[in-house]
Every structure is written in C-alpha cells, then in structure tokens.
C-alpha cells in the first residue's frame, strides 16, 4: 500500500534538546511538506521541498531545519531555538503539478517540557 | 497580506444539508481546496476548484467564485461520521497551499 509514514506517533523531549521527526513516502511524489498544527488552529507551513537536495522555508521556519537527501524521505529537526515546540506535526506529499492535493501522514505529537 | 476566513464552528442535524463558507485574500490564486480532518487524525483531501462553478463528488460539493474571492463546501445527507473539522486552502502559488483555521462541524442526531 502506498502512503506516508511518520514516526513516532508520540514524542516527549526535555527543553533544550534537538529532536528529529521522521517522514517517509512511497507514493513517488516529488513534493513534500511539513506543517505544524496547534489546538483549534489550521495548518501552518514550516518547510517544503519540490525536488531532492532543495527545500524552501514556509511561514514559520524559525527554529526548524530539514533535509531532502532522498525523494522518499523528508526529516524535520526541531531545534532548541524553537520557542514553543509542543505541537502536532504533519508531513504531506503531492504529485507533480498537483500541489493542491496533498496526502498526509498520521502525524507526530511532540511534547517538550 | 494573505488571509482565509471561515466560521469556527457550525452545527447541523443528521440528514440535513450544511454549507461551510470560505473567503480569501491572497496575492496570487490558482485554486481552492477543501480538506477534512477528524479529531486526532490527518487531513484528507476532499475537492479542488480552479474555475468558477460547482464541483460535485458524491454527497460533497464545492463551489468557487473567483470574482468574489469566495467558495463553499456543501455537505448533503449529513451523517454522524461527517463530524470533523473542515479546512479551506488556497493554492496561492503553483507549489504550495495556505490553510484556513478550519470549521468544526457538529452534527446532532
């Protein structure tokens, strides 16, 4: 079955630690995205990538970093510089030219204390 | 700046019809998408309108008026499983979309 996987589903970290969230897709999609969702809020774009070895900042990139070394993988690192990292993180992908139709992974709920 | 406005909550009765509106103000516009998200779950794509008019997919329909910067999602024959949050999203450029804050749909039996 094709789809997007994110791991882990729940993640707990202490303040001051960097943490990397995994995102893998086997849909052969070129574009991948990372969003952050806070309670009662919409999805805010952190970073996105249209091709391997290239990515662009979204609206709230500060305190986050990404890499795109393989088409299938787009890991997100939440650094200690991110002021309020506790949130629900969603990874998505889309086919070429179909940026409006995004497929989402199940999400990772990160709690930093 | 860019903005998308949709009601925060809507309540309807099982079996009825409900319309969720979305107005937008963006620097560019390629189209309007709609997504559904159940509590604790991932958003799923419902529909996309690039041109004016109504698109129908089963019980769900989506409408767009580019001249009014307005669209809506219409859900017919409401079922309890339709209880979820619904997001409109603008395709502002040809490589990303911007999501609204979502409308929480409550369905009463």
């Amino acid at each position: 079955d094709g789809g997007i996987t994110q791991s882990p589903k729940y993640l707990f970290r202490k303040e001051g630690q960097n943490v990397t969230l995994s995102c893998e897709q086997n849909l052969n999609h070129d574009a991948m995205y990372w969003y952050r969702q806070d309670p009662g809020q919409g999805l805010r774009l952190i970073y996105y990538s249209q091709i391997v070895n290239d990515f662009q900042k979204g609206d709230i990139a500060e305190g986050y970093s990404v890499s795109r070394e393989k088409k299938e993988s787009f890991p997100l690192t939440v650094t200690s510089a991110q002021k309020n990292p506790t949130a629900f993180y969603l990874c998505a992908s889309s086919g070429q030219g179909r940026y409006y139709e995004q497929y989402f992974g199940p999400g990772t709920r990160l709690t930093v204390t | 700046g860019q903005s998308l406005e949709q009601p925060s909550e809507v309540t309807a009765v099982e079996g009825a019809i409900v319309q969720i509106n979305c107005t937008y103000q963006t620097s560019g516009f390629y189209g309007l998408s709609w997504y559904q998200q159940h509590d604790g779950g991932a958003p799923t794509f419902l529909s996309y309108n690039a041109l004016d008019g109504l698109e129908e997919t089963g019980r769900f329909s989506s409408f767009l008026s580019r001249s009014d910067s307005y669209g809506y999602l219409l859900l017919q024959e409401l079922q309890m499983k339709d209880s979820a949050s619904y997001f409109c999203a603008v395709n502002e450029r040809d490589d990303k979309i911007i999501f609204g804050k979502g409308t929480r749909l409550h369905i009463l039996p």
Side-chain angles (χ1 to χ4, degrees), chain A residues 9 33 35 37 40-43 45 48 50 56-57 59 88 90 99-102 104-106 109, chain B residues 2 33 35 37 40-45 47-48 87 91 93-102:
Chain A
K9 191 169 178 62
Y33 312 81
Y35 294 92
Q37 187 173 34
Q41 298 295 311
L43 284 70
L45 183 63
Y48 63 109
Q50 292 179 275
Q56 289 78 41
K57 293 182 179 180
D59 299 320
F88 188 43
L90 288 156
Y99 306 106
Y100 53 85
E101 182 178 354
Q102 297 186 8
F104 284 82
R109 196 166 296 278
Chain B
Q2 60 202 28
S33 304
Y35 286 77
Q37 184 181 31
T44 56
F45 172 78
S47 67
Y48 177 68
F87 296 88
N91 194 188
R93 293 166 27 169
D94 62 354
D95 59 355
K96 66 174 185 176
I97 58 178
I98 302 165
F99 284 85
K101 293 188 175 181

Side-chain angles (χ1 to χ4, degrees), chain B residues 12-19 36 56-61 73-83 86 105-109:
Chain B
V13 178
E14 190 176 14
I17 299 172
V18 71
Q19 178 174 313
Q36 177 192 61
E56 298 181 62
T57 309
R59 294 187 297 115
F60 293 4
S61 303
L73 180 69
L74 191 73
L75 293 80
Q76 302 182 72
E77 301 172 18
L78 284 171
Q79 301 175 10
M80 297 304 293
K81 68 177 182 179
D82 297 329
S83 294
Y86 293 85
L105 174 61
H106 302 279
I107 299 176
L108 304 176

Side-chain angles (χ1 to χ4, degrees), chain A residues 4-55:
Chain A
I4 300 180
T5 57
Q6 291 186 245
S7 59
K9 191 169 178 62
Y10 297 95
L11 191 54
F12 298 88
R13 279 293 183 271
K14 293 290 188 186
E15 210 172 289
Q17 294 179 333
N18 291 355
V19 59
T20 297
L21 311 184
S22 164
C23 177
E24 304 278 331
Q25 55 100 358
N26 61 4
L27 299 168
N28 199 33
H29 283 170
D30 292 307
M32 296 187 74
Y33 312 81
W34 273 106
Y35 294 92
R36 169 184 173 135
Q37 187 173 34
D38 294 287
Q41 298 295 311
L43 284 70
R44 292 185 291 169
L45 183 63
I46 304 172
Y47 269 98
Y48 63 109
S49 167
Q50 292 179 275
I51 57 173
V52 173
N53 292 323
D54 188 43
F55 47 82

